[in-house]
Amino acid sequence: VDAKQLEALYLRHRQGLFLLALSVVRCPAEAEDAVHDAMVRLNARSSVPEGDTVAYVFAAVRNAALDRLRRRRTTDETRASLYNGHAPDPETAALAAERDRALREAVDGLPREQQEAVVLRVYAELSFEQIAEVAGAPLSTVAARYQRALEKLRDRLRALA
Amino acid sequence: MSEPREFEDLEAALRQMAPRTPSAGLDRRVRRLARRHRVPVWLAVAGSMAAGFALAVLALRGPDKPEQPVAAPAVRHERMPEPARNMQTQTSGAQLARWPAQPARIERVWFADQDNGIVGERNNEPVRRLRRGILRDVILLDPAGQRVLRVTVPQQETVIQATEPY
């Protein structure tokens, strides 16, 4: 992957890459730094291993975010939401506000690995095979994580209804 | 893998929500990175190959010729130094099974990258420090005299890179 291809790959997956980092470090500024760290490292490499390049880049971002998490000196737990604080469309905001708020809180409250599965599947639109490669876990494990996450979100919405 | 249909509505609802997006600043940082002139690995490798070739010429001269002075290596190691054990390996020559018919050179380069993160600022821009430790291990084989010359040279490159402020 040369620098231009890497840039194109970033532009195509920027939202998913950022959300993946955010789901790990839970701080938007630090998530951007983690994405940048990964791009610096990938740019410095003369070659990438054979296989799924998209999954490889996501894995690099995940590792950079985990590195940042480990390097944190304080135990202060930053918990920024994955979502913006407002509904995108004011007209539908009133109807969907309660459901969205509940969903937001439910997603933000998921364990990290389940949240990661949701981010990679729903927002990054990766296949389960790619998610398994990014997470370094068996396919059945990431599928089970995703399933459990959706069950929790569904239960939350049912409780709301 | 088939997904339960009962979750399709839920996935659609999640997609309709407004997740945070990366800032334009990150886009600029990545673009700048792509345009940044890389100090290419090939340049370092080419340099070491040229040095290795020069050493080979000096080391493999016939015994009837007067000894030529060879620049003393910075460091000589019988074993790979400790910090190099976790480094990545590139091999430009095969393992020696027996003396080759012709003079040969085996070169291995280990390198490891370290990102020190933001270390200060210059012209009101935060700067990041990247370090690359490089270890070149050159083995020259002279089948005529059955002589082996091994040179190990550690090197460190430090790059200070301006980053986009928030």
Side-chain angles (χ1 to χ4, degrees), chain A residues 7 10 15 32-33 37 81-82 121 123 146, chain B residues 3 6 11 14 20 23 27 29 31 38 128 166:
Chain A
E7 183 187 0
Y10 163 77
Q15 169 108 60
E32 292 197 351
D33 279 347
D37 288 348
S81 171
L82 292 183
R121 182 72 183 141
Y123 297 115
Y146 183 68
Chain B
E3 296 165 23
E6 60 178 320
E11 288 175 327
L14 285 169
R20 285 181 192 267
S23 69
D27 296 348
R29 289 164 74 185
R31 274 198 206 101
R38 293 167 60 184
R128 177 184 300 277
Y166 289 98

mmCIF file with all atom_site columns, all heavy atoms in Angstrom, chain A residues 7 10 15 32-33 37 81-82 121 123 146, chain B residues 3 6 11 14 20 23 27 29 31 38 128 166:
data_model
loop_
_atom_site.group_PDB
_atom_site.id
_atom_site.type_symbol
_atom_site.label_atom_id
_atom_site.label_alt_id
_atom_site.label_comp_id
_atom_site.label_asym_id
_atom_site.label_entity_id
_atom_site.label_seq_id
_atom_site.pdbx_PDB_ins_code
_atom_site.Cartn_x
_atom_site.Cartn_y
_atom_site.Cartn_z
_atom_site.occupancy
_atom_site.B_iso_or_equiv
_atom_site.pdbx_formal_charge
_atom_site.auth_seq_id
_atom_site.auth_comp_id
_atom_site.auth_asym_id
_atom_site.auth_atom_id
_atom_site.pdbx_PDB_model_num
ATOM 1   N N   . GLU A 1 7   ? -4.118  6.893   1.766  1.00 0.00 ? 7   GLU A N   1
ATOM 2   C CA  . GLU A 1 7   ? -4.975  8.068   1.933  1.00 0.00 ? 7   GLU A CA  1
ATOM 3   C C   . GLU A 1 7   ? -6.392  7.765   1.409  1.00 0.00 ? 7   GLU A C   1
ATOM 4   O O   . GLU A 1 7   ? -7.387  8.094   2.051  1.00 0.00 ? 7   GLU A O   1
ATOM 5   C CB  . GLU A 1 7   ? -4.384  9.263   1.188  1.00 0.00 ? 7   GLU A CB  1
ATOM 6   C CG  . GLU A 1 7   ? -5.190  10.530  1.383  1.00 0.00 ? 7   GLU A CG  1
ATOM 7   C CD  . GLU A 1 7   ? -4.700  11.673  0.500  1.00 0.00 ? 7   GLU A CD  1
ATOM 8   O OE1 . GLU A 1 7   ? -3.743  11.477  -0.264 1.00 0.00 ? 7   GLU A OE1 1
ATOM 9   O OE2 . GLU A 1 7   ? -5.299  12.758  0.575  1.00 0.00 ? 7   GLU A OE2 1
ATOM 10  N N   . TYR A 1 10  ? -8.139  5.575   3.809  1.00 0.00 ? 10  TYR A N   1
ATOM 11  C CA  . TYR A 1 10  ? -8.581  6.356   4.969  1.00 0.00 ? 10  TYR A CA  1
ATOM 12  C C   . TYR A 1 10  ? -9.861  7.128   4.633  1.00 0.00 ? 10  TYR A C   1
ATOM 13  O O   . TYR A 1 10  ? -10.820 7.120   5.406  1.00 0.00 ? 10  TYR A O   1
ATOM 14  C CB  . TYR A 1 10  ? -7.483  7.327   5.413  1.00 0.00 ? 10  TYR A CB  1
ATOM 15  C CG  . TYR A 1 10  ? -8.011  8.413   6.309  1.00 0.00 ? 10  TYR A CG  1
ATOM 16  C CD1 . TYR A 1 10  ? -8.294  8.167   7.646  1.00 0.00 ? 10  TYR A CD1 1
ATOM 17  C CD2 . TYR A 1 10  ? -8.302  9.681   5.797  1.00 0.00 ? 10  TYR A CD2 1
ATOM 18  C CE1 . TYR A 1 10  ? -8.834  9.148   8.457  1.00 0.00 ? 10  TYR A CE1 1
ATOM 19  C CE2 . TYR A 1 10  ? -8.833  10.671  6.601  1.00 0.00 ? 10  TYR A CE2 1
ATOM 20  C CZ  . TYR A 1 10  ? -9.098  10.400  7.925  1.00 0.00 ? 10  TYR A CZ  1
ATOM 21  O OH  . TYR A 1 10  ? -9.648  11.366  8.730  1.00 0.00 ? 10  TYR A OH  1
ATOM 22  N N   . GLN A 1 15  ? -14.838 7.321   8.876  1.00 0.00 ? 15  GLN A N   1
ATOM 23  C CA  . GLN A 1 15  ? -15.800 7.271   9.977  1.00 0.00 ? 15  GLN A CA  1
ATOM 24  C C   . GLN A 1 15  ? -15.631 5.992   10.805 1.00 0.00 ? 15  GLN A C   1
ATOM 25  O O   . GLN A 1 15  ? -15.587 6.030   12.035 1.00 0.00 ? 15  GLN A O   1
ATOM 26  C CB  . GLN A 1 15  ? -17.223 7.319   9.416  1.00 0.00 ? 15  GLN A CB  1
ATOM 27  C CG  . GLN A 1 15  ? -18.307 7.002   10.433 1.00 0.00 ? 15  GLN A CG  1
ATOM 28  C CD  . GLN A 1 15  ? -19.096 8.207   10.835 1.00 0.00 ? 15  GLN A CD  1
ATOM 29  O OE1 . GLN A 1 15  ? -19.716 8.830   9.999  1.00 0.00 ? 15  GLN A OE1 1
ATOM 30  N NE2 . GLN A 1 15  ? -19.076 8.517   12.096 1.00 0.00 ? 15  GLN A NE2 1
ATOM 31  N N   . GLU A 1 32  ? -8.607  10.513  17.373 1.00 0.00 ? 32  GLU A N   1
ATOM 32  C CA  . GLU A 1 32  ? -8.001  11.044  16.141 1.00 0.00 ? 32  GLU A CA  1
ATOM 33  C C   . GLU A 1 32  ? -6.493  10.845  16.149 1.00 0.00 ? 32  GLU A C   1
ATOM 34  O O   . GLU A 1 32  ? -5.890  10.509  15.129 1.00 0.00 ? 32  GLU A O   1
ATOM 35  C CB  . GLU A 1 32  ? -8.349  12.528  15.978 1.00 0.00 ? 32  GLU A CB  1
ATOM 36  C CG  . GLU A 1 32  ? -9.821  12.746  15.709 1.00 0.00 ? 32  GLU A CG  1
ATOM 37  C CD  . GLU A 1 32  ? -10.120 14.126  15.145 1.00 0.00 ? 32  GLU A CD  1
ATOM 38  O OE1 . GLU A 1 32  ? -9.202  14.968  15.122 1.00 0.00 ? 32  GLU A OE1 1
ATOM 39  O OE2 . GLU A 1 32  ? -11.270 14.351  14.736 1.00 0.00 ? 32  GLU A OE2 1
ATOM 40  N N   . ASP A 1 33  ? -5.887  11.050  17.322 1.00 0.00 ? 33  ASP A N   1
ATOM 41  C CA  . ASP A 1 33  ? -4.440  10.816  17.429 1.00 0.00 ? 33  ASP A CA  1
ATOM 42  C C   . ASP A 1 33  ? -4.112  9.352   17.142 1.00 0.00 ? 33  ASP A C   1
ATOM 43  O O   . ASP A 1 33  ? -3.095  9.051   16.513 1.00 0.00 ? 33  ASP A O   1
ATOM 44  C CB  . ASP A 1 33  ? -3.940  11.191  18.828 1.00 0.00 ? 33  ASP A CB  1
ATOM 45  C CG  . ASP A 1 33  ? -3.714  12.688  18.971 1.00 0.00 ? 33  ASP A CG  1
ATOM 46  O OD1 . ASP A 1 33  ? -3.704  13.381  17.934 1.00 0.00 ? 33  ASP A OD1 1
ATOM 47  O OD2 . ASP A 1 33  ? -3.565  13.161  20.114 1.00 0.00 ? 33  ASP A OD2 1
ATOM 48  N N   . ASP A 1 37  ? -1.695  8.034   14.415 1.00 0.00 ? 37  ASP A N   1
ATOM 49  C CA  . ASP A 1 37  ? -0.564  7.159   14.767 1.00 0.00 ? 37  ASP A CA  1
ATOM 50  C C   . ASP A 1 37  ? -0.495  5.967   13.821 1.00 0.00 ? 37  ASP A C   1
ATOM 51  O O   . ASP A 1 37  ? 0.575   5.607   13.312 1.00 0.00 ? 37  ASP A O   1
ATOM 52  C CB  . ASP A 1 37  ? -0.734  6.606   16.189 1.00 0.00 ? 37  ASP A CB  1
ATOM 53  C CG  . ASP A 1 37  ? -0.503  7.662   17.251 1.00 0.00 ? 37  ASP A CG  1
ATOM 54  O OD1 . ASP A 1 37  ? -0.007  8.741   16.909 1.00 0.00 ? 37  ASP A OD1 1
ATOM 55  O OD2 . ASP A 1 37  ? -0.830  7.395   18.424 1.00 0.00 ? 37  ASP A OD2 1
ATOM 56  N N   . SER A 1 81  ? -19.299 9.773   24.363 1.00 0.00 ? 81  SER A N   1
ATOM 57  C CA  . SER A 1 81  ? -20.245 8.961   23.596 1.00 0.00 ? 81  SER A CA  1
ATOM 58  C C   . SER A 1 81  ? -19.745 8.754   22.175 1.00 0.00 ? 81  SER A C   1
ATOM 59  O O   . SER A 1 81  ? -18.966 9.546   21.642 1.00 0.00 ? 81  SER A O   1
ATOM 60  C CB  . SER A 1 81  ? -21.596 9.678   23.561 1.00 0.00 ? 81  SER A CB  1
ATOM 61  O OG  . SER A 1 81  ? -22.462 9.025   22.652 1.00 0.00 ? 81  SER A OG  1
ATOM 62  N N   . LEU A 1 82  ? -20.218 7.683   21.553 1.00 0.00 ? 82  LEU A N   1
ATOM 63  C CA  . LEU A 1 82  ? -19.904 7.458   20.141 1.00 0.00 ? 82  LEU A CA  1
ATOM 64  C C   . LEU A 1 82  ? -20.745 8.367   19.257 1.00 0.00 ? 82  LEU A C   1
ATOM 65  O O   . LEU A 1 82  ? -20.496 8.467   18.056 1.00 0.00 ? 82  LEU A O   1
ATOM 66  C CB  . LEU A 1 82  ? -20.194 6.008   19.751 1.00 0.00 ? 82  LEU A CB  1
ATOM 67  C CG  . LEU A 1 82  ? -19.319 4.911   20.350 1.00 0.00 ? 82  LEU A CG  1
ATOM 68  C CD1 . LEU A 1 82  ? -19.722 3.573   19.767 1.00 0.00 ? 82  LEU A CD1 1
ATOM 69  C CD2 . LEU A 1 82  ? -17.855 5.168   20.070 1.00 0.00 ? 82  LEU A CD2 1
ATOM 70  N N   . ARG A 1 121 ? -19.325 -3.618  12.395 1.00 0.00 ? 121 ARG A N   1
ATOM 71  C CA  . ARG A 1 121 ? -20.355 -4.211  11.530 1.00 0.00 ? 121 ARG A CA  1
ATOM 72  C C   . ARG A 1 121 ? -21.294 -3.136  10.977 1.00 0.00 ? 121 ARG A C   1
ATOM 73  O O   . ARG A 1 121 ? -21.575 -3.090  9.791  1.00 0.00 ? 121 ARG A O   1
ATOM 74  C CB  . ARG A 1 121 ? -21.143 -5.246  12.335 1.00 0.00 ? 121 ARG A CB  1
ATOM 75  C CG  . ARG A 1 121 ? -22.209 -5.962  11.555 1.00 0.00 ? 121 ARG A CG  1
ATOM 76  C CD  . ARG A 1 121 ? -21.603 -6.923  10.571 1.00 0.00 ? 121 ARG A CD  1
ATOM 77  N NE  . ARG A 1 121 ? -22.636 -7.566  9.774  1.00 0.00 ? 121 ARG A NE  1
ATOM 78  C CZ  . ARG A 1 121 ? -22.511 -7.816  8.489  1.00 0.00 ? 121 ARG A CZ  1
ATOM 79  N NH1 . ARG A 1 121 ? -21.408 -7.507  7.853  1.00 0.00 ? 121 ARG A NH1 1
ATOM 80  N NH2 . ARG A 1 121 ? -23.478 -8.400  7.832  1.00 0.00 ? 121 ARG A NH2 1
ATOM 81  N N   . TYR A 1 123 ? -21.229 0.476   11.368 1.00 0.00 ? 123 TYR A N   1
ATOM 82  C CA  . TYR A 1 123 ? -20.730 1.754   10.842 1.00 0.00 ? 123 TYR A CA  1
ATOM 83  C C   . TYR A 1 123 ? -19.562 1.587   9.866  1.00 0.00 ? 123 TYR A C   1
ATOM 84  O O   . TYR A 1 123 ? -19.430 2.363   8.939  1.00 0.00 ? 123 TYR A O   1
ATOM 85  C CB  . TYR A 1 123 ? -20.345 2.682   11.994 1.00 0.00 ? 123 TYR A CB  1
ATOM 86  C CG  . TYR A 1 123 ? -21.537 3.021   12.847 1.00 0.00 ? 123 TYR A CG  1
ATOM 87  C CD1 . TYR A 1 123 ? -21.618 2.616   14.171 1.00 0.00 ? 123 TYR A CD1 1
ATOM 88  C CD2 . TYR A 1 123 ? -22.630 3.700   12.301 1.00 0.00 ? 123 TYR A CD2 1
ATOM 89  C CE1 . TYR A 1 123 ? -22.736 2.898   14.938 1.00 0.00 ? 123 TYR A CE1 1
ATOM 90  C CE2 . TYR A 1 123 ? -23.749 3.978   13.063 1.00 0.00 ? 123 TYR A CE2 1
ATOM 91  C CZ  . TYR A 1 123 ? -23.796 3.574   14.375 1.00 0.00 ? 123 TYR A CZ  1
ATOM 92  O OH  . TYR A 1 123 ? -24.913 3.841   15.123 1.00 0.00 ? 123 TYR A OH  1
ATOM 93  N N   . TYR A 1 146 ? -21.329 -9.877  18.584 1.00 0.00 ? 146 TYR A N   1
ATOM 94  C CA  . TYR A 1 146 ? -22.272 -8.991  17.885 1.00 0.00 ? 146 TYR A CA  1
ATOM 95  C C   . TYR A 1 146 ? -23.712 -9.364  18.243 1.00 0.00 ? 146 TYR A C   1
ATOM 96  O O   . TYR A 1 146 ? -24.547 -8.502  18.514 1.00 0.00 ? 146 TYR A O   1
ATOM 97  C CB  . TYR A 1 146 ? -22.036 -9.112  16.378 1.00 0.00 ? 146 TYR A CB  1
ATOM 98  C CG  . TYR A 1 146 ? -22.901 -8.192  15.547 1.00 0.00 ? 146 TYR A CG  1
ATOM 99  C CD1 . TYR A 1 146 ? -22.707 -6.819  15.592 1.00 0.00 ? 146 TYR A CD1 1
ATOM 100 C CD2 . TYR A 1 146 ? -23.892 -8.696  14.723 1.00 0.00 ? 146 TYR A CD2 1
ATOM 101 C CE1 . TYR A 1 146 ? -23.483 -5.968  14.833 1.00 0.00 ? 146 TYR A CE1 1
ATOM 102 C CE2 . TYR A 1 146 ? -24.676 -7.851  13.955 1.00 0.00 ? 146 TYR A CE2 1
ATOM 103 C CZ  . TYR A 1 146 ? -24.464 -6.494  14.018 1.00 0.00 ? 146 TYR A CZ  1
ATOM 104 O OH  . TYR A 1 146 ? -25.243 -5.649  13.261 1.00 0.00 ? 146 TYR A OH  1
ATOM 105 N N   . GLU B 2 3   ? -27.755 -13.395 9.329  1.00 0.00 ? 3   GLU B N   1
ATOM 106 C CA  . GLU B 2 3   ? -28.049 -12.669 10.553 1.00 0.00 ? 3   GLU B CA  1
ATOM 107 C C   . GLU B 2 3   ? -29.532 -12.780 10.844 1.00 0.00 ? 3   GLU B C   1
ATOM 108 O O   . GLU B 2 3   ? -30.355 -12.845 9.939  1.00 0.00 ? 3   GLU B O   1
ATOM 109 C CB  . GLU B 2 3   ? -27.662 -11.208 10.386 1.00 0.00 ? 3   GLU B CB  1
ATOM 110 C CG  . GLU B 2 3   ? -26.186 -11.030 10.176 1.00 0.00 ? 3   GLU B CG  1
ATOM 111 C CD  . GLU B 2 3   ? -25.877 -9.649  9.661  1.00 0.00 ? 3   GLU B CD  1
ATOM 112 O OE1 . GLU B 2 3   ? -26.718 -8.754  9.893  1.00 0.00 ? 3   GLU B OE1 1
ATOM 113 O OE2 . GLU B 2 3   ? -24.861 -9.474  9.017  1.00 0.00 ? 3   GLU B OE2 1
ATOM 114 N N   . GLU B 2 6   ? -34.711 -10.489 12.916 1.00 0.00 ? 6   GLU B N   1
ATOM 115 C CA  . GLU B 2 6   ? -35.271 -9.626  13.966 1.00 0.00 ? 6   GLU B CA  1
ATOM 116 C C   . GLU B 2 6   ? -34.349 -8.451  14.292 1.00 0.00 ? 6   GLU B C   1
ATOM 117 O O   . GLU B 2 6   ? -34.767 -7.459  14.865 1.00 0.00 ? 6   GLU B O   1
ATOM 118 C CB  . GLU B 2 6   ? -35.539 -10.436 15.231 1.00 0.00 ? 6   GLU B CB  1
ATOM 119 C CG  . GLU B 2 6   ? -34.293 -11.073 15.812 1.00 0.00 ? 6   GLU B CG  1
ATOM 120 C CD  . GLU B 2 6   ? -34.565 -11.836 17.088 1.00 0.00 ? 6   GLU B CD  1
ATOM 121 O OE1 . GLU B 2 6   ? -35.365 -11.350 17.900 1.00 0.00 ? 6   GLU B OE1 1
ATOM 122 O OE2 . GLU B 2 6   ? -33.985 -12.932 17.252 1.00 0.00 ? 6   GLU B OE2 1
ATOM 123 N N   . GLU B 2 11  ? -30.524 -2.730  13.377 1.00 0.00 ? 11  GLU B N   1
ATOM 124 C CA  . GLU B 2 11  ? -29.343 -2.260  12.644 1.00 0.00 ? 11  GLU B CA  1
ATOM 125 C C   . GLU B 2 11  ? -29.673 -1.005  11.839 1.00 0.00 ? 11  GLU B C   1
ATOM 126 O O   . GLU B 2 11  ? -28.877 -0.063  11.782 1.00 0.00 ? 11  GLU B O   1
ATOM 127 C CB  . GLU B 2 11  ? -28.832 -3.355  11.704 1.00 0.00 ? 11  GLU B CB  1
ATOM 128 C CG  . GLU B 2 11  ? -28.165 -4.501  12.444 1.00 0.00 ? 11  GLU B CG  1
ATOM 129 C CD  . GLU B 2 11  ? -27.780 -5.634  11.506 1.00 0.00 ? 11  GLU B CD  1
ATOM 130 O OE1 . GLU B 2 11  ? -28.503 -5.862  10.519 1.00 0.00 ? 11  GLU B OE1 1
ATOM 131 O OE2 . GLU B 2 11  ? -26.774 -6.287  11.765 1.00 0.00 ? 11  GLU B OE2 1
ATOM 132 N N   . LEU B 2 14  ? -29.778 1.911   14.143 1.00 0.00 ? 14  LEU B N   1
ATOM 133 C CA  . LEU B 2 14  ? -28.416 2.333   14.521 1.00 0.00 ? 14  LEU B CA  1
ATOM 134 C C   . LEU B 2 14  ? -27.773 3.156   13.410 1.00 0.00 ? 14  LEU B C   1
ATOM 135 O O   . LEU B 2 14  ? -27.101 4.150   13.657 1.00 0.00 ? 14  LEU B O   1
ATOM 136 C CB  . LEU B 2 14  ? -27.548 1.108   14.824 1.00 0.00 ? 14  LEU B CB  1
ATOM 137 C CG  . LEU B 2 14  ? -27.802 0.408   16.152 1.00 0.00 ? 14  LEU B CG  1
ATOM 138 C CD1 . LEU B 2 14  ? -27.063 -0.929  16.211 1.00 0.00 ? 14  LEU B CD1 1
ATOM 139 C CD2 . LEU B 2 14  ? -27.373 1.277   17.329 1.00 0.00 ? 14  LEU B CD2 1
ATOM 140 N N   . ARG B 2 20  ? -20.493 10.174  15.899 1.00 0.00 ? 20  ARG B N   1
ATOM 141 C CA  . ARG B 2 20  ? -19.480 11.225  15.757 1.00 0.00 ? 20  ARG B CA  1
ATOM 142 C C   . ARG B 2 20  ? -18.650 10.975  14.500 1.00 0.00 ? 20  ARG B C   1
ATOM 143 O O   . ARG B 2 20  ? -18.457 9.829   14.098 1.00 0.00 ? 20  ARG B O   1
ATOM 144 C CB  . ARG B 2 20  ? -18.533 11.208  16.957 1.00 0.00 ? 20  ARG B CB  1
ATOM 145 C CG  . ARG B 2 20  ? -19.099 11.768  18.227 1.00 0.00 ? 20  ARG B CG  1
ATOM 146 C CD  . ARG B 2 20  ? -18.033 11.689  19.301 1.00 0.00 ? 20  ARG B CD  1
ATOM 147 N NE  . ARG B 2 20  ? -18.574 11.938  20.617 1.00 0.00 ? 20  ARG B NE  1
ATOM 148 C CZ  . ARG B 2 20  ? -18.606 13.120  21.215 1.00 0.00 ? 20  ARG B CZ  1
ATOM 149 N NH1 . ARG B 2 20  ? -18.142 14.176  20.579 1.00 0.00 ? 20  ARG B NH1 1
ATOM 150 N NH2 . ARG B 2 20  ? -19.102 13.253  22.430 1.00 0.00 ? 20  ARG B NH2 1
ATOM 151 N N   . SER B 2 23  ? -12.755 14.931  12.678 1.00 0.00 ? 23  SER B N   1
ATOM 152 C CA  . SER B 2 23  ? -12.706 16.342  12.284 1.00 0.00 ? 23  SER B CA  1
ATOM 153 C C   . SER B 2 23  ? -11.971 16.515  10.951 1.00 0.00 ? 23  SER B C   1
ATOM 154 O O   . SER B 2 23  ? -11.240 15.620  10.512 1.00 0.00 ? 23  SER B O   1
ATOM 155 C CB  . SER B 2 23  ? -11.985 17.148  13.363 1.00 0.00 ? 23  SER B CB  1
ATOM 156 O OG  . SER B 2 23  ? -10.621 16.806  13.363 1.00 0.00 ? 23  SER B OG  1
ATOM 157 N N   . ASP B 2 27  ? -8.420  14.773  8.743  1.00 0.00 ? 27  ASP B N   1
ATOM 158 C CA  . ASP B 2 27  ? -8.277  14.576  7.294  1.00 0.00 ? 27  ASP B CA  1
ATOM 159 C C   . ASP B 2 27  ? -7.036  15.296  6.768  1.00 0.00 ? 27  ASP B C   1
ATOM 160 O O   . ASP B 2 27  ? -6.273  14.751  5.973  1.00 0.00 ? 27  ASP B O   1
ATOM 161 C CB  . ASP B 2 27  ? -9.515  15.116  6.552  1.00 0.00 ? 27  ASP B CB  1
ATOM 162 C CG  . ASP B 2 27  ? -10.774 14.352  6.930  1.00 0.00 ? 27  ASP B CG  1
ATOM 163 O OD1 . ASP B 2 27  ? -10.650 13.292  7.570  1.00 0.00 ? 27  ASP B OD1 1
ATOM 164 O OD2 . ASP B 2 27  ? -11.873 14.818  6.585  1.00 0.00 ? 27  ASP B OD2 1
ATOM 165 N N   . ARG B 2 29  ? -4.387  16.102  8.467  1.00 0.00 ? 29  ARG B N   1
ATOM 166 C CA  . ARG B 2 29  ? -3.171  15.450  8.970  1.00 0.00 ? 29  ARG B CA  1
ATOM 167 C C   . ARG B 2 29  ? -2.833  14.225  8.128  1.00 0.00 ? 29  ARG B C   1
ATOM 168 O O   . ARG B 2 29  ? -1.672  13.973  7.815  1.00 0.00 ? 29  ARG B O   1
ATOM 169 C CB  . ARG B 2 29  ? -3.368  15.034  10.430 1.00 0.00 ? 29  ARG B CB  1
ATOM 170 C CG  . ARG B 2 29  ? -3.392  16.216  11.365 1.00 0.00 ? 29  ARG B CG  1
ATOM 171 C CD  . ARG B 2 29  ? -3.971  15.841  12.708 1.00 0.00 ? 29  ARG B CD  1
ATOM 172 N NE  . ARG B 2 29  ? -3.069  15.047  13.520 1.00 0.00 ? 29  ARG B NE  1
ATOM 173 C CZ  . ARG B 2 29  ? -3.412  14.523  14.695 1.00 0.00 ? 29  ARG B CZ  1
ATOM 174 N NH1 . ARG B 2 29  ? -4.624  14.715  15.178 1.00 0.00 ? 29  ARG B NH1 1
ATOM 175 N NH2 . ARG B 2 29  ? -2.550  13.815  15.387 1.00 0.00 ? 29  ARG B NH2 1
ATOM 176 N N   . ARG B 2 31  ? -3.786  13.669  5.001  1.00 0.00 ? 31  ARG B N   1
ATOM 177 C CA  . ARG B 2 31  ? -3.379  14.111  3.653  1.00 0.00 ? 31  ARG B CA  1
ATOM 178 C C   . ARG B 2 31  ? -1.924  14.584  3.662  1.00 0.00 ? 31  ARG B C   1
ATOM 179 O O   . ARG B 2 31  ? -1.149  14.287  2.764  1.00 0.00 ? 31  ARG B O   1
ATOM 180 C CB  . ARG B 2 31  ? -4.282  15.247  3.172  1.00 0.00 ? 31  ARG B CB  1
ATOM 181 C CG  . ARG B 2 31  ? -5.541  14.730  2.521  1.00 0.00 ? 31  ARG B CG  1
ATOM 182 C CD  . ARG B 2 31  ? -6.217  15.793  1.680  1.00 0.00 ? 31  ARG B CD  1
ATOM 183 N NE  . ARG B 2 31  ? -7.622  15.480  1.601  1.00 0.00 ? 31  ARG B NE  1
ATOM 184 C CZ  . ARG B 2 31  ? -8.562  16.072  2.327  1.00 0.00 ? 31  ARG B CZ  1
ATOM 185 N NH1 . ARG B 2 31  ? -8.246  17.026  3.163  1.00 0.00 ? 31  ARG B NH1 1
ATOM 186 N NH2 . ARG B 2 31  ? -9.816  15.710  2.206  1.00 0.00 ? 31  ARG B NH2 1
ATOM 187 N N   . ARG B 2 38  ? 8.787   10.825  2.204  1.00 0.00 ? 38  ARG B N   1
ATOM 188 C CA  . ARG B 2 38  ? 9.266   9.774   3.098  1.00 0.00 ? 38  ARG B CA  1
ATOM 189 C C   . ARG B 2 38  ? 10.768  9.611   2.950  1.00 0.00 ? 38  ARG B C   1
ATOM 190 O O   . ARG B 2 38  ? 11.308  9.682   1.868  1.00 0.00 ? 38  ARG B O   1
ATOM 191 C CB  . ARG B 2 38  ? 8.591   8.453   2.771  1.00 0.00 ? 38  ARG B CB  1
ATOM 192 C CG  . ARG B 2 38  ? 7.129   8.472   3.074  1.00 0.00 ? 38  ARG B CG  1
ATOM 193 C CD  . ARG B 2 38  ? 6.440   7.297   2.465  1.00 0.00 ? 38  ARG B CD  1
ATOM 194 N NE  . ARG B 2 38  ? 6.974   6.036   2.964  1.00 0.00 ? 38  ARG B NE  1
ATOM 195 C CZ  . ARG B 2 38  ? 6.575   4.857   2.502  1.00 0.00 ? 38  ARG B CZ  1
ATOM 196 N NH1 . ARG B 2 38  ? 5.683   4.780   1.566  1.00 0.00 ? 38  ARG B NH1 1
ATOM 197 N NH2 . ARG B 2 38  ? 7.074   3.756   2.993  1.00 0.00 ? 38  ARG B NH2 1
ATOM 198 N N   . ARG B 2 128 ? 5.776   15.742  16.803 1.00 0.00 ? 128 ARG B N   1
ATOM 199 C CA  . ARG B 2 128 ? 5.812   14.347  17.229 1.00 0.00 ? 128 ARG B CA  1
ATOM 200 C C   . ARG B 2 128 ? 7.218   13.795  16.949 1.00 0.00 ? 128 ARG B C   1
ATOM 201 O O   . ARG B 2 128 ? 7.842   14.158  15.964 1.00 0.00 ? 128 ARG B O   1
ATOM 202 C CB  . ARG B 2 128 ? 4.775   13.574  16.408 1.00 0.00 ? 128 ARG B CB  1
ATOM 203 C CG  . ARG B 2 128 ? 4.724   12.091  16.669 1.00 0.00 ? 128 ARG B CG  1
ATOM 204 C CD  . ARG B 2 128 ? 3.732   11.456  15.714 1.00 0.00 ? 128 ARG B CD  1
ATOM 205 N NE  . ARG B 2 128 ? 2.392   11.989  15.869 1.00 0.00 ? 128 ARG B NE  1
ATOM 206 C CZ  . ARG B 2 128 ? 1.536   11.580  16.786 1.00 0.00 ? 128 ARG B CZ  1
ATOM 207 N NH1 . ARG B 2 128 ? 1.848   10.607  17.595 1.00 0.00 ? 128 ARG B NH1 1
ATOM 208 N NH2 . ARG B 2 128 ? 0.341   12.115  16.878 1.00 0.00 ? 128 ARG B NH2 1
ATOM 209 N N   . TYR B 2 166 ? -5.087  21.079  17.396 1.00 0.00 ? 166 TYR B N   1
ATOM 210 C CA  . TYR B 2 166 ? -6.547  21.042  17.494 1.00 0.00 ? 166 TYR B CA  1
ATOM 211 C C   . TYR B 2 166 ? -7.085  22.436  17.733 1.00 0.00 ? 166 TYR B C   1
ATOM 212 O O   . TYR B 2 166 ? -6.466  23.228  18.369 1.00 0.00 ? 166 TYR B O   1
ATOM 213 C CB  . TYR B 2 166 ? -6.983  20.124  18.637 1.00 0.00 ? 166 TYR B CB  1
ATOM 214 C CG  . TYR B 2 166 ? -6.745  18.699  18.302 1.00 0.00 ? 166 TYR B CG  1
ATOM 215 C CD1 . TYR B 2 166 ? -5.594  18.052  18.763 1.00 0.00 ? 166 TYR B CD1 1
ATOM 216 C CD2 . TYR B 2 166 ? -7.616  18.006  17.503 1.00 0.00 ? 166 TYR B CD2 1
ATOM 217 C CE1 . TYR B 2 166 ? -5.354  16.752  18.430 1.00 0.00 ? 166 TYR B CE1 1
ATOM 218 C CE2 . TYR B 2 166 ? -7.368  16.699  17.175 1.00 0.00 ? 166 TYR B CE2 1
ATOM 219 C CZ  . TYR B 2 166 ? -6.237  16.081  17.639 1.00 0.00 ? 166 TYR B CZ  1
ATOM 220 O OH  . TYR B 2 166 ? -6.003  14.786  17.300 1.00 0.00 ? 166 TYR B OH  1
#
